[in-house]
């Protein structure tokens, strides 16, 4: 089975760090310098999960958060099985921007809340996290520099949910 996920959100929120983590390329969730993604990066990985008999080929489309690439987002969204939204809750305005990203990447694409996962990615904070009320039906978690195992576990659960949805079709 092949599944496609788009990782989207505001500029500088940590999308590439999260994408590298879930693709198994790196557990590093902080960076010394910011190198924005140009357009989109596609990562591929193959997973075998307990309880699922088939290997799952996963495509992770790490979309730039720069709105100058918005013209290409429609193509990025084609045949998407799920969306992972990433934002920095400590960066002014990113929590409000999350609604716009959700509307564009999830709702406009005809996806259900179960097909969305939100990571509130903080560089160093361990404060309690509560997702914005609009997203009460969407799986969400606070992530930080030491969250790689939790991110991977949440992504595997997300894949299981998407796999179940695909099996029902």
């Amino acid at each position: 089975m092949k599944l496609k996920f788009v990782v989207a959100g505001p500029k500088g929120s940590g999308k590439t760090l999260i994408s590298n983590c879930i693709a198994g390329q790196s557990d590093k969730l902080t960076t010394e310098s910011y190198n924005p993604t140009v357009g989109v990066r596609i990562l591929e990985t193959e997973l075998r999960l307990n309880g699922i008999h088939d290997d799952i080929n996963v495509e992770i489309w790490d979309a730039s958060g720069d709105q100058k690439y918005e013209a290409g987002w429609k193509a990025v969204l084609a045949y998407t099985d799920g969306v992972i939204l990433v934002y920095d809750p400590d960066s002014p305005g990113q929590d409000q921007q999350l609604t716009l990203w959700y509307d564009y990447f999830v709702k406009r694409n005809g996806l259900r809340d179960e097909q969305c996962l939100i990571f509130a990615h903080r560089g160093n904070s361990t404060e309690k996290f509560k997702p914005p009320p609009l997203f009460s039906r969407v799986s969400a978690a606070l992530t930080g520099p030491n969250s790689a195992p939790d991110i991977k576990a949440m992504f595997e659960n997300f894949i299981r949910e998407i796999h179940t949805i695909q099996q029902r079709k």
Side-chain angles (χ1 to χ4, degrees), residues 101-113 137:
W101 290 93
Y102 177 79
D103 286 342
Y104 190 92
F105 281 86
V106 179
K107 289 302 176 189
R108 273 196 202 174
N109 203 33
L111 298 176
R112 303 186 331 218
D113 287 345
R137 294 181 36 207

Side-chain angles (χ1 to χ4, degrees), residues 3-141:
L3 296 175
K4 175 183 173 183
F5 298 93
V6 174
V7 179
K11 289 192 294 188
S13 58
K15 295 177 300 296
T16 295
L17 295 169
I18 298 289
S19 296
N20 289 341
C21 179
I22 62 178
Q25 293 188 354
S26 175
D27 285 348
K28 186 177 178 190
L29 293 168
T30 59
T31 184
E32 299 299 318
S33 62
Y34 174 61
N35 296 311
T37 299
V38 176
V40 66
R41 258 178 5 119
I42 302 170
L43 298 93
E44 296 180 277
T45 189
E46 188 173 295
L47 298 174
R48 185 175 244 338
L49 302 176
N50 290 335
I52 298 176
H53 299 293
D54 302 324
D55 286 342
I56 301 175
N57 295 309
V58 178
E59 285 185 0
I60 300 159
W61 291 51
D62 176 14
S64 172
D66 193 328
Q67 294 200 342
K68 71 181 179 184
Y69 299 110
E70 185 174 354
W73 289 346
K74 187 174 181 181
V76 168
L77 284 168
Y79 308 106
T80 298
D81 298 298
V83 172
I84 299 167
L85 296 176
V86 180
Y87 77 106
D88 179 351
D90 295 330
S91 183
Q94 283 199 10
D95 50 349
Q96 288 89 13
Q97 289 180 36
L98 187 62
T99 302
L100 300 173
W101 290 93
Y102 177 79
D103 286 342
Y104 190 92
F105 281 86
V106 179
K107 289 302 176 189
R108 273 196 202 174
N109 203 33
L111 298 176
R112 303 186 331 218
D113 287 345
E114 296 84 6
Q115 291 171 279
C116 181
L117 176 62
I118 298 173
F119 289 122
H121 189 66
R122 289 184 165 142
N124 57 15
S125 179
T126 58
E127 278 180 39
K128 294 239 180 217
F129 166 71
K130 184 176 180 184
L134 174 66
F135 304 106
S136 62
R137 294 181 36 207
V138 177
S139 294

